[in-house]
Amino acid sequence: MNELQERKYIEDDEIDLMEIIKILIDNKITIIVTTLVFTLIVILGGYLYNKKNSAYNTILGFNYLGIEKGLNPNGTQFNKNDLVSTNELNYLFDKYSEKGLKSKDLKSLRQNIEVKGIVPQYITQRIEQALKKGETLSYTPTQYSISLKDGNKDIAEELVQDVIAEFNKKYKPQYEISEVSLNNSYDYDDYIVILKEHINRLLLETKGEMKEKFSSKITGVSYIELSRKIQNYENVNLKKYISYIDVYNFSNNALTKKTRLEADIKMLKLEKSKLLGEAEVVKKALDEYKPTTKQLVLPSIGEMGIKLDTENEYYSKLLGKYIELNTLAANKDYEIRYKKQELEEIKTPSSTEDEAIQKIIKNLVTELNKITEEINNLNKEYFDVEYGEMVKKIAPVELKTEGKSVFLYAIVGIVLGAFIGIFIVFIKEFFKSYKLKYNK
């Protein structure tokens, strides 16, 4: 190619490029309209896709002993599907079925709620490595995402709060101990039984390795101090009242007390007869025992818990059992005589004496109820510390989608629309040139 031909080729190229630019400028309306149309289509499509694949999402964290083993706080098996109960679904559906929820029934609402465990990356890697070695590695997540694909942010917030509240209600120990109440139908010695039972309940609440180390950050009181306070109450205050009632054998309902004592005596006599009957069986076995022979006659002694190892052990246990049964029978006989004496000496107090006793009872009940309140307050603080963080929301409720941002969809729409617009312009110019060429 000589220099003249090369210059002509370049000039032709320049003419062609300028022609293309001129064509694009002349058809700029077509390109702009096409770009706008496709941009709107892509943005609308992206928006609808995002809306369809979006959900209100939050994360719950569980922190208590046992979750790492897949257990609930009470030791039962943990199941993420139980976090959203049927009661919660019913409540949300009834409240929001016409105020934000699009689900037509409980089944569809359940399908729009997803609970997924969050497994850290390093755990995933360890599981994969274990599988490659033919080993099995189990892991229970301590964090779970809850997604609601229906409704709005307020409904999602309420759902999460309900999940937390119901979990705490189900597994957080109950710390409220009822107070002792006054009742005119109670006899004087009825209060002794009631107060002793309540004391045992309070003392039980102070036990436990963790509780013994705990003290209130508000009042400074500890379970050990309250335990001593309860014991002092029982050994001093209650003991004085018991001694007073026992000495005078007062009753504000003599007929009822008489009936109860007679029933007690009858039951004690039956128990005594049973013990003496068992003792007679044991005595018979002792009489039939022959130390010189290995042939032992064994009546139904096994029912009384006697374990036989050797002949000598057998005899010593029989003798011990016989002494024990007779001792128990003698104790029952003593109780019977005491009840009979009490039955004969029942006294009805005067109005002045009754008023004084009722005042003592009221003071005893009031004082024990104050201790009960202290136990309840300390229990509340203790369980708030030990179980208050069992489950909590560790991420705010946010609307998340599987799609991309609208801005990115707009850029894709502009680029796609521009290329399609240019393509349409070139196709139109091609047909135009074709017609001019073949119509000559």
Side-chain angles (χ1 to χ4, degrees):
M1 182 183 294
N2 56 39
E3 186 178 345
L4 181 61
Q5 288 175 327
E6 186 177 351
R7 185 182 300 112
K8 184 177 179 182
Y9 178 78
I10 294 171
E11 287 175 356
D12 289 343
D13 278 354
E14 289 177 352
I15 291 170
D16 291 341
L17 181 60
M18 293 301 295
E19 185 67 24
I20 289 171
I21 294 173
K22 183 176 181 301
I23 291 171
L24 293 176
I25 293 173
D26 290 343
N27 292 274
K28 61 182 180 293
I29 300 299
T30 301
I31 296 172
I32 292 171
V33 171
T34 305
T35 301
L36 290 174
V37 170
F38 273 89
T39 300
L40 290 174
I41 291 173
V42 172
I43 290 175
L44 180 61
Y47 171 77
L48 293 175
Y49 177 83
N50 285 355
K51 188 174 182 181
K52 184 179 179 180
N53 294 276
S54 63
Y56 291 96
N57 188 78
T58 188
I59 297 175
L60 294 182
F62 293 83
N63 181 28
Y64 58 85
L65 291 175
I67 181 62
E68 69 283 351
K69 298 178 182 178
L71 300 176
N72 290 313
N74 63 355
T76 58
Q77 191 66 37
F78 178 87
N79 188 340
K80 65 182 179 67
N81 296 322
D82 294 336
L83 290 176
V84 182
S85 68
T86 304
N87 290 336
E88 293 172 51
L89 289 177
N90 282 325
Y91 173 76
L92 288 176
F93 187 78
D94 292 341
K95 185 175 181 180
Y96 295 106
S97 57
E98 297 179 358
K99 299 178 182 179
L101 287 178
K102 296 179 181 178
S103 300
K104 295 181 179 180
D105 50 40
L106 290 175
K107 184 179 179 180
S108 58
L109 178 58
R110 169 71 77 179
Q111 292 172 345
N112 283 323
I113 298 175
E114 185 178 23
V115 181
K116 293 172 62 177
I118 300 174
V119 182
Q121 183 62 32
Y122 76 93
I123 293 293
T124 303
Q125 293 173 353
R126 287 177 60 185
I127 293 174
E128 291 175 352
Q129 292 171 1
L131 290 173
K132 290 178 182 178
K133 296 178 182 178
E135 301 172 353
T136 302
L137 180 64
S138 61
Y139 174 78
T140 300
T142 58
Q143 295 182 358
Y144 291 82
S145 67
I146 296 183
S147 300
L148 176 63
K149 297 181 180 180
D150 191 4
N152 52 49
K153 187 175 181 179
D154 291 338
I155 298 175
E157 287 278 10
E158 187 163 352
L159 170 64
V160 173
Q161 294 303 323
D162 286 348
V163 168
I164 294 173
E166 184 155 326
F167 190 88
N168 283 326
K169 181 181 178 181
K170 190 174 182 180
Y171 297 112
K172 189 175 181 179
Q174 298 298 314
Y175 53 80
E176 190 71 28
I177 304 172
S178 301
E179 294 182 343
V180 179
S181 58
L182 295 168
N183 193 320
N184 293 330
S185 63
Y186 292 161
D187 202 349
Y188 302 136
D189 52 1
D190 289 337
Y191 279 103
I192 297 174
V193 177
I194 293 169
L195 293 174
K196 280 188 173 181
E197 289 180 351
H198 198 76
I199 286 170
N200 291 334
R201 174 75 176 88
L202 294 179
L203 286 173
L204 186 64
E205 283 295 319
T206 65
K207 304 300 180 184
E209 184 179 350
M210 297 301 295
K211 283 188 172 183
E212 289 175 359
K213 300 176 182 178
F214 185 82
S215 61
S216 172
K217 293 183 179 179
I218 301 172
T219 62
V221 69
S222 67
Y223 282 105
I224 293 177
E225 291 173 323
L226 289 177
S227 176
R228 291 171 184 163
K229 193 172 184 179
I230 296 166
Q231 291 171 0
N232 290 337
Y233 170 89
E234 182 178 21
N235 294 331
V236 179
N237 302 36
L238 183 59
K239 199 169 184 179
K240 287 181 180 179
Y241 174 73
I242 294 172
S243 300
Y244 181 76
I245 297 299
D246 285 348
V247 167
Y248 294 100
N249 199 21
F250 282 137
S251 173
N252 60 3
N253 193 331
L255 182 61
T256 302
K257 187 170 183 176
K258 181 181 178 181
T259 304
R260 186 176 71 248
L261 286 172
E262 288 173 345
D264 290 344
I265 291 170
K266 185 178 181 180
M267 181 59 65
L268 286 169
K269 286 181 177 180
L270 290 172
E271 292 174 357
K272 177 186 173 183
S273 298
K274 181 176 180 293
L275 290 169
L276 290 174
E278 290 179 3
E280 186 64 29
V281 173
V282 175
K283 187 175 186 305
K284 183 179 179 182
L286 284 169
D287 293 339
E288 293 176 351
Y289 178 73
K290 307 296 183 183
T292 58
T293 180
K294 295 186 181 288
Q295 299 289 330
L296 303 181
V297 180
L298 303 180
S300 57
I301 305 302
E303 296 176 1
M304 291 178 237
I306 297 178
K307 182 180 178 182
L308 306 179
D309 295 321
T310 64
E311 292 182 18
N312 290 334
E313 184 181 356
Y314 168 72
Y315 184 78
S316 62
K317 284 192 174 182
L318 280 178
L319 187 59
K321 189 70 177 179
Y322 181 72
I323 295 171
E324 179 188 353
L325 289 171
N326 279 283
T327 302
L328 291 173
N331 290 338
K332 295 295 180 183
D333 190 55
Y334 169 79
E335 289 183 55
I336 291 170
R337 292 199 305 271
Y338 179 81
K339 294 283 185 182
K340 285 182 176 179
Q341 182 180 354
E342 190 177 1
L343 181 61
E344 294 172 358
E345 298 177 354
I346 296 176
K347 295 178 183 178
T348 301
S350 64
S351 58
T352 304
E353 290 171 329
D354 178 68
E355 186 178 346
I357 295 172
Q358 293 294 348
K359 185 176 181 180
I360 295 172
I361 292 172
K362 184 177 181 181
N363 290 337
L364 285 171
V365 170
T366 301
E367 188 173 351
L368 191 58
N369 284 340
K370 286 181 180 179
I371 299 175
T372 302
E373 185 179 0
E374 289 185 86
I375 290 283
N376 284 336
N377 291 336
L378 190 58
N379 270 346
K380 183 179 185 305
E381 191 174 345
Y382 171 77
F383 288 125
D384 283 344
V385 171
E386 290 296 315
Y387 298 92
E389 297 296 315
M390 282 196 305
V391 55
K392 64 178 180 178
K393 185 174 69 173
I394 59 177
V397 175
E398 295 178 335
L399 182 62
K400 293 187 177 182
T401 179
E402 297 176 4
K404 307 299 180 181
S405 67
V406 176
F407 178 73
L408 186 59
Y409 285 127
I411 293 176
V412 172
I414 291 170
V415 173
L416 182 63
F419 274 108
I420 293 175
I422 292 171
F423 178 75
I424 292 172
V425 168
F426 283 132
I427 292 294
K428 189 170 74 170
E429 285 298 319
F430 171 79
F431 281 108
K432 184 178 177 181
S433 300
Y434 183 82
K435 287 181 180 180
L436 288 174
K437 181 177 179 180
Y438 288 97
N439 284 338
K440 289 180 179 180

